[in-house]
Amino acid sequence: MYKSLAEIIAAEKEKNLPFWKVVMQDDCIELDISEEESFQRMKYMYEVMKASDAAYEDNLMSRSGLVGTDGKKIHDARLADKLVCGDFIGRVIERAVKMGESNACMKRIVAAPTAGSCGVIPAVFITVQEEKGYTDDQMTEAMFVAAGIGGVIAHRAFLAGAAGGCQAEIGSASSMAAGAIAYLNGADAEGIAHAAAIAMKNLLGLACDPVAGLVEVPCVKRNVVGAVNALTSCDMVLAGMISKIPPDEVFDAMRAVGRAMPENVRETGTGGLAGTPTGIAYREKITSL
Amino acid sequence: MNLFDIIGPVMVGPSSSHTAGAVRIGNIARKLMGEEIAKAKIYFHGSFQLTGKGHGTDKALLAGLMGMPVDDSRIPRSYAEADIRGMAYAFFPIDLGDVHPNTVKLVLDGVKGKHREIVGCSVGGGRIEITEIDGLGVSFGGDYPTLVIRNQDIPGQVQQVTTFLAEENINIGTMQLYRAARGADAVMVIECDKEIPEDVIPALEGLKGIVRVTYLSLK
Ligand code: SF4
């Protein structure tokens, strides 16, 4: 996998191939599979995301009782035209909440990059596809862009809350989605990298502080911020803004921040929201279940 | 790492370490048994014990022991599935000391009478490690076809096994040696590039000084 976005940008120019293809070809060598096989595998990942989105059950609660049924609230409020953000962002919010809840309720999801952050990419991708009418093949190309960005983040920093806080999970998912949507809207590798960088910058420092150690609170709602942040970051780049800090350096900063985070905000379920009096009370109630 | 480690796996939530990893430990334990499991005692340590209930670690492990993959929609109903199959199971807390926080000890009895005690941990992102088999420390991730050979701690064992495998045209990827104490039983863990033909296992078991051979097939 590529170690920097700079290398992918250079390869795009040198080989005269789009970002997604540069990343895919490299992975085909790594996995010793054909381009066709790789493309079909990625397409399947997107199909599963869509199936998971459609399979949301609005009456399920997680075993702890902390999350569930909120997807329906957003859905109803959106249809009643009550949301400030309107229908498009409303659908993004709805999908992100639903996927996060489905994950907590032990339904089938695609870790992207992790299970806790599994709602960000589908919420953005499916809604953008619905809105703009991209084909599944185009969405699959965008999936490769997302995975390529994630690969660089994994190399330079981390993708696990236990290693680097929630910036590593929701932050990475958001960064991956931002670059992917920039690609669909015509951005080149440079633009993709800047969208990814801006999304990551906006979530830098985010703590991983799940109440009772469960992937529920605040995880479900953070999928919403990751998704919406991806879209606004993408728009900044489409309008011509750039990240003043080069994208690879942004990921290095994420690593440095993650390294400096105390253990109690790295998935131990002790600090941050988990360490509030109410967070502790929930934990005690849940562990006595 | 490859792109499908970044996007993927397809799994039943909520946690790659506490749910998907637990399924995989169950899958590998089942393969190491080499037969259907009749009875499982499952001992959760550390974070598995503390947050396991909320992450469905119990259901996931049980599902894994029945051979369900990480994306099997029946995982949340694995208790009922085990009851239908007549598989006995029980869960206990345990303190295994200074081990990985996501560790589980499995005491398993097979339908044909095999007994195994396996300890494994979930190290993140759904990846796992088997750390102990029948009281002897080992370390492998179950990503390759793996031979676990328990032998008497006498000279010439390693050479005997490697020569035998070479004659069978089996290429060794990595090999690790472990023993509990001088003169006690030892274990060789051999990860291979390709699957091993079935008839090789009994032949290996027939070699002098070999106590037991367990084979982890990825098929
Ligand atoms: S708070 Fe922690 S567990 Fe929850 S989504 Fe963020 S990184 Fe994952």
Side-chain angles (χ1 to χ4, degrees):
Chain A
M1 264 177 339
Y2 280 93
K3 297 180 173 58
S4 67
L5 289 177
E7 282 173 63
I8 301 177
I9 294 168
E12 183 191 58
K13 292 202 184 97
E14 209 175 283
K15 299 184 181 168
N16 199 20
L17 289 174
F19 187 116
W20 72 270
K21 208 155 199 183
V22 169
V23 166
M24 182 184 78
Q25 283 185 347
D26 174 65
D27 202 55
C28 286
I29 297 168
E30 166 74 29
L31 287 176
D32 196 17
I33 57 175
S34 70
E35 291 188 17
E36 176 60 22
E37 198 179 337
S38 180
F39 197 86
Q40 290 309 324
R41 265 173 87 168
M42 195 57 94
K43 197 169 183 175
Y44 173 70
M45 293 294 163
Y46 187 54
E47 280 162 10
V48 177
M49 284 181 179
K50 288 208 276 193
S52 307
D53 176 57
Y56 176 72
E57 289 174 69
D58 63 15
N59 56 357
L60 279 187
M61 292 297 289
S62 67
R63 208 174 188 181
S64 73
L66 281 178
V67 300
T69 72
D70 283 344
K72 181 164 166 43
K73 289 181 193 144
I74 303 282
H75 177 81
D76 292 346
R78 179 170 68 77
L79 291 189
D81 203 13
K82 277 193 203 161
L83 302 178
V84 176
C85 288
D87 190 69
F88 173 66
I89 293 294
R91 275 180 282 153
V92 173
I93 301 171
E94 179 180 330
R95 288 203 164 94
V97 169
K98 284 179 169 179
M99 195 66 81
E101 290 187 321
S102 289
N103 179 55
C105 294
M106 298 194 78
K107 302 226 11 165
R108 193 165 175 259
I109 55 93
V110 182
T114 60
S117 58
C118 70
V120 174
I121 289 178
V124 171
F125 274 50
I126 299 171
T127 312
V128 166
Q129 184 182 28
E130 223 169 51
E131 191 72 9
K132 304 250 182 167
Y134 297 117
T135 64
D136 278 356
D137 278 2
Q138 286 173 301
M139 299 311 293
T140 304
E141 292 170 14
M143 290 281 282
F144 277 106
V145 173
I149 295 165
V152 172
I153 299 173
H155 179 79
R156 304 186 81 90
F158 7 63
L159 296 176
C166 199
Q167 54 166 5
E169 294 202 5
I170 296 291
S172 299
S174 191
S175 181
M176 291 158 67
I181 300 306
Y183 163 71
L184 286 173
N185 283 277
D188 62 1
E190 191 94 36
I192 291 168
H194 280 275
I198 292 173
M200 180 62 85
K201 290 201 306 192
N202 294 347
L203 293 171
L204 221 51
L206 195 61
C208 171
D209 47 0
V211 168
L214 303 177
V215 191
E216 303 191 2
V217 175
C219 316
V220 171
K221 297 183 189 92
R222 284 203 182 140
N223 277 279
V224 175
V225 82
V228 174
N229 175 57
L231 291 165
T232 52
S233 300
C234 171
D235 270 350
M236 284 189 243
V237 169
L238 294 180
M241 289 167 68
I242 59 159
S243 171
K244 292 282 153 60
I245 306 296
D248 290 319
E249 288 184 34
V250 170
F251 298 154
D252 294 344
M254 193 270 268
R255 177 191 179 86
V257 171
R259 277 279 159 94
M261 277 184 177
E263 201 179 15
N264 71 357
V265 288
R266 283 190 281 116
E267 213 178 292
T268 49
T270 49
L273 297 170
T276 57
T278 305
I280 292 168
Y282 275 130
R283 182 177 68 215
E284 278 162 8
K285 210 172 111 202
I286 290 161
T287 42
S288 67
L289 279 184
Chain B
M1 273 275 226
N2 63 71
L3 294 181
F4 300 96
D5 291 323
I6 309 288
I7 296 203
V10 178
M11 57 171 273
V12 163
S15 160
S16 54
S17 56
H18 286 66
T19 320
V23 175
R24 286 212 65 219
I25 293 174
N27 286 162
I28 289 179
R30 175 193 172 88
K31 284 181 181 159
L32 288 170
M33 281 292 280
E35 60 187 57
E36 286 287 330
I37 295 159
K39 200 171 131 199
K41 285 190 190 163
I42 300 165
Y43 299 84
F44 287 124
H45 165 93
S47 173
F48 264 8
Q49 170 60 24
L50 283 174
T51 68
K53 262 241 145 72
H55 282 130
T57 309
D58 50 347
K59 297 173 177 176
L61 223 131
L62 199 56
L65 288 173
M66 288 186 281
M68 294 179 197
V70 293
D71 69 336
D72 197 310
S73 305
R74 295 171 299 172
I75 292 170
R77 301 188 304 274
S78 64
Y79 279 53
E81 189 71 26
D83 294 342
I84 293 167
R85 295 184 191 200
M87 173 180 166
Y89 54 90
F91 300 93
F92 309 92
I94 195 171
D95 183 354
L96 294 168
D98 187 20
V99 296
H100 191 285
N102 300 333
T103 296
V104 60
K105 177 176 175 167
L106 302 166
V107 177
L108 307 173
D109 288 296
V111 288
K112 295 185 199 140
K114 209 184 246 184
H115 179 86
R116 285 271 188 283
E117 300 196 10
I118 296 165
V119 180
C121 60
S122 177
V123 296
R127 284 188 314 279
I128 65 118
E129 196 182 307
I130 299 298
T131 55
E132 203 180 298
I133 298 177
D134 294 337
L136 274 180
V138 294
S139 168
F140 60 92
D143 301 315
Y144 301 94
T146 308
L147 273 170
V148 183
I149 303 170
R150 193 176 176 114
N151 59 281
Q152 291 167 5
D153 190 20
I154 50 175
Q157 290 287 300
V158 172
Q159 199 202 351
Q160 171 181 254
V161 168
T162 51
T163 309
F164 177 86
L165 291 178
E167 278 165 7
E168 294 287 335
N169 213 2
I170 294 163
N171 194 30
I172 296 177
T174 66
M175 178 167 190
Q176 305 160 60
L177 306 173
Y178 306 90
R179 70 176 178 189
R182 190 190 294 252
D185 277 359
V187 167
M188 289 176 233
V189 175
I190 300 172
E191 292 182 319
C192 309
D193 298 337
K194 290 204 176 81
E195 292 287 344
I196 290 175
E198 269 172 35
D199 55 333
V200 167
I201 314 295
L204 260 175
E205 254 172 345
L207 296 178
K208 188 171 151 278
I210 303 295
V211 179
R212 180 188 300 157
V213 178
T214 305
Y215 177 54
L216 172 69
S217 161
L218 296 191
K219 274 187 283 191

